[in-house]
Amino acid sequence: MIVGSISWAPEYSCHGCFECCIKCLGGIPYASLIATILLYAGVALFCGCGHEALSGTVNILQTYFEMARTAGDTLDVFTMIDIFKYVIYGIAAAFFVYGILLMVEGFFTTGAIKDLYGDFKITTCGRCVSAWFIMLTYLFMLAWLGVTAFTSLPVYMYFNLWTICRNTTLVEGANLCLDLRQFGIVTIGEEKKICTVSENFLRMCESTELNMTFHLFIVALAGAGAAVIAMVHYLMVLSANWAYVKDACRMQKYEDIKSKEEQELHDIHSTRSKERLNAYT
C-alpha cells in the first residue's frame, strides 16, 4: 500500500503539471510573439548599426574629406548627424515600450486567456483600445516606410563611393572624383571634392572604415525593412483580434438576450404555478 501510494503521487502531479503547461502554452499569442521578435530584431539592427554607421561617417568626413565642425549654432552635417543619433535613441526606447504594449494586447485578446480566467466582458473601452492600436500601428508602418526610404540614401552614396574605389583599381589612370555638393552634404559655395589621384582617396579606399560603414548602413536598411514587415504582421494580428472582439461582443449580446428571455419564461412559469397552487388551495 505504501509503495502504491508513492508511485501514484508523482504520476498524478506530473499529469497536473502537464495540463498546466498545455494551458500556459495555449495562452501565448504566438502571432504577436513572432511580430514582437521581428520588431525588436529590426529596431535593434537599425538603431545599433545606424548609430555606428553615423559615427563612421563622421570619421570619414573629418579624416579624408578634411571637414570640420562649424563653430556656433550653424546647422551643418555634423549637427544633423548628432540629431539623427538622438532620434535613434528615441526610436529604440519608444518601440521597446510599444512592442510590450502590443504583446499585452495580444494576451488579453487570446481565446485561451478566457479559458484560464473564465468568461470576460467585452466592453466598449476594449473595442476602442483595439481600434486605437490598429490605427497607431498603421501610422507607424507608414513612418517605417519613410525611414526605410531615407536609410537607402546613405546606402546609395556609399555605393557610389565604393564603386569609384573599385573602378580605380580596375582601370589604370582613371581620374574619378566625388563631390559632396552632389548629395547636399555641403553648400554650393563650399567645395569638398576628393579625386582618385589624391592621397586621401587612396588611403580611404585602402582602409577598412569605408567598407565597414557601408555594410553597417546596409544592415541598418535591412533592419528598417524588418520593422516594416513586423508592422504589417502586427496589422494582420490586430485585425484578427478586432474581428474576434467584435464576434465575442455579438455573442455576448446574444447570451444576454437569451438569458433574459429564459429568466422571463422562468418567472412566467413560476407565477402560473403559484396561481394554480392558490386556486387548488
Side-chain angles (χ1 to χ4, degrees):
M1 296 297 294
I2 298 177
V3 175
S5 62
I6 292 176
S7 61
W8 171 254
E11 182 180 355
Y12 178 76
S13 61
C14 289
H15 182 68
C17 291
F18 178 75
E19 289 184 352
C20 182
C21 292
I22 293 299
K23 287 184 177 180
C24 290
L25 291 176
I28 298 175
Y30 291 101
S32 298
L33 180 62
I34 293 173
T36 303
I37 293 174
L38 185 60
L39 175 64
Y40 282 168
V43 172
L45 288 176
F46 173 77
C47 294
C49 296
H51 183 274
E52 293 302 316
L54 290 174
S55 300
T57 301
V58 171
N59 294 332
I60 290 175
L61 292 177
Q62 291 178 339
T63 304
Y64 304 109
F65 287 89
E66 298 178 351
M67 294 183 62
R69 291 181 178 270
T70 305
D73 298 332
T74 305
L75 186 64
D76 58 356
V77 62
F78 297 106
T79 306
M80 293 296 297
I81 289 177
D82 293 337
I83 293 174
F84 291 150
K85 287 182 178 180
Y86 286 114
V87 171
I88 285 175
Y89 300 150
I91 289 174
F95 279 93
F96 176 77
V97 176
Y98 191 66
I100 294 176
L101 292 177
L102 288 177
M103 274 297 298
V104 172
E105 197 272 345
F107 270 108
F108 276 105
T109 52
T110 300
I113 299 299
K114 179 180 177 181
D115 297 334
L116 287 174
Y117 297 103
D119 285 339
F120 59 94
K121 294 294 183 181
I122 303 297
T123 61
T124 304
C125 180
R127 284 177 287 172
C128 291
V129 169
S130 297
W132 171 256
F133 272 121
I134 292 175
M135 182 186 68
L136 198 60
T137 304
Y138 180 75
L139 294 177
F140 281 148
M141 184 196 69
L142 296 179
W144 274 109
L145 283 174
V147 170
T148 304
F150 183 78
T151 310
S152 63
L153 296 178
V155 174
Y156 172 72
M157 288 187 283
Y158 273 98
F159 176 75
N160 287 337
L161 186 57
W162 178 78
T163 304
I164 292 175
C165 290
R166 184 181 179 184
N167 291 336
T168 303
T169 57
L170 294 178
V171 182
E172 296 183 358
N175 186 15
L176 304 176
C177 296
L178 180 68
D179 196 343
L180 295 182
R181 292 178 295 183
Q182 297 175 344
F183 304 103
I185 297 178
V186 296
T187 59
I188 299 298
E190 186 179 3
E191 182 178 356
K192 290 295 180 181
K193 182 171 61 175
I194 186 171
C195 298
T196 56
V197 294
S198 63
E199 183 180 356
N200 287 339
F201 183 86
L202 296 177
R203 289 192 299 111
M204 180 181 64
C205 292
E206 293 175 355
S207 66
T208 59
E209 193 171 17
L210 176 64
N211 191 40
M212 178 62 69
T213 305
F214 176 44
H215 286 87
L216 284 174
F217 272 120
I218 293 177
V219 177
L221 179 62
V228 172
I229 297 175
M231 290 292 104
V232 175
H233 197 164
Y234 268 130
L235 279 177
M236 294 188 294
V237 173
L238 292 171
S239 299
N241 290 343
W242 166 257
Y244 168 77
V245 169
K246 190 175 180 180
D247 291 341
C249 183
R250 291 178 178 176
M251 183 61 66
Q252 177 182 308
K253 291 180 179 179
Y254 171 75
E255 292 293 337
D256 291 340
I257 295 173
K258 183 179 178 181
S259 177
K260 186 178 180 180
E261 290 179 351
E262 290 177 352
Q263 184 64 33
E264 291 177 354
L265 290 175
H266 180 269
D267 293 340
I268 292 172
H269 287 298
S270 178
T271 303
R272 289 180 178 178
S273 298
K274 290 180 180 179
E275 290 177 353
R276 290 175 182 175
L277 181 61
N278 292 333
Y280 177 78
T281 305

